[in-house]
Amino acid sequence: MLSGKRDVQPRFAPSNRVLELAQHKTSKAVWATTPCGRLNWGNQEPVWPVSASALRARPSERIQLLAGHKRDFSAREAHRR
């Protein structure tokens, strides 16, 4: 119920921190997804130089197994329907 008094200030007001958090946030998608200043897609150049030891490294059998293609189960799913 509203009181009939005029110019009555509310007793409790939001703090400065609450007012700051209530403001719209700026998008961080641009700087969060870009690893360097300027990146041209499709030029096949690495963003950082590749070390000589990384170029000489040979993957283990486990890494080669994990890097293989997944089996395609979509034909079986279509057949069951």
Side-chain angles (χ1 to χ4, degrees):
M1 183 171 156
L2 296 173
S3 66
K5 298 178 182 178
R6 293 185 180 186
D7 299 326
V8 175
Q9 297 295 326
R11 187 171 179 191
F12 299 103
S15 67
N16 290 339
R17 178 67 175 151
V18 171
L19 293 174
E20 178 186 346
L21 293 173
Q23 298 300 314
H24 290 285
K25 308 303 183 276
T26 57
S27 175
K28 296 182 176 82
V30 174
W31 62 266
T33 57
T34 306
C36 61
R38 178 80 174 132
L39 183 63
N40 295 325
W41 294 102
N43 62 2
Q44 303 299 319
E45 294 177 10
V47 177
W48 294 281
V50 180
S51 66
S53 61
L55 292 173
R56 287 190 309 268
R58 297 288 169 231
S60 66
E61 290 182 30
R62 173 75 175 151
I63 297 296
Q64 289 178 349
L65 176 70
L66 292 172
H69 293 291
K70 276 179 110 174
R71 292 180 58 189
D72 185 15
F73 293 103
S74 62
R76 291 183 184 175
E77 291 175 5
H79 181 67
R80 290 183 196 167
R81 292 181 186 171

